[in-house]
Amino acid sequence: MSGKNFDQTSLEYEKVSSAQQLISMLVDMFNLLKGRNNRKIFAIGISCIGPVDVHKGSIANPPNFFGIRDVPICGILQQETGLPCFIINDANA
């Protein structure tokens, strides 16, 4: 199976001060993209500074990332949106 990226948005990390704020911003970004597209959304993809754990779908312990560490971001976003979520290190994206 393959897919095509029809829309995307990005987040300025300097505006993030906690894991909860990051999650809220990502949910808001999802809702923005969902609202401006008539296409069915099948999944969420996140590119994040590393290290990340792609198998657990989590942000591991990036240095200089405002103390955000060990956040199961994909599980949280799957619960919030009902969609599968995938994460990859931004250097590999």
Side-chain angles (χ1 to χ4, degrees):
M1 179 184 275
S2 65
K4 184 175 181 181
N5 186 15
F6 289 99
D7 199 352
Q8 68 183 35
T9 187
S10 61
L11 171 66
E12 293 181 37
Y13 290 119
E14 293 81 26
K15 296 181 180 180
V16 177
S17 61
S18 69
Q20 185 56 47
Q21 185 181 24
L22 175 65
I23 292 162
S24 287
M25 293 173 85
L26 290 173
V27 170
D28 289 346
M29 290 168 60
F30 169 79
N31 289 324
L32 171 75
L33 291 171
K34 183 179 176 186
R36 70 183 188 198
N37 285 286
N38 293 332
R39 299 179 184 274
K40 181 172 173 69
I41 300 173
F42 291 96
I44 297 170
I46 298 173
S47 170
C48 181
I49 59 174
V52 299
D53 187 326
V54 297
H55 301 292
K56 290 182 180 178
S58 64
I59 299 170
N61 58 350
N64 305 315
F65 195 42
F66 314 103
I68 296 172
R69 59 186 317 132
D70 303 319
V71 179
I73 195 71
C74 285
I76 293 167
L77 289 177
Q78 285 174 343
Q79 189 173 16
E80 291 285 326
T81 66
L83 295 172
C85 180
F86 304 91
I87 191 169
I88 190 169
N89 182 301
D90 63 346
N92 297 327

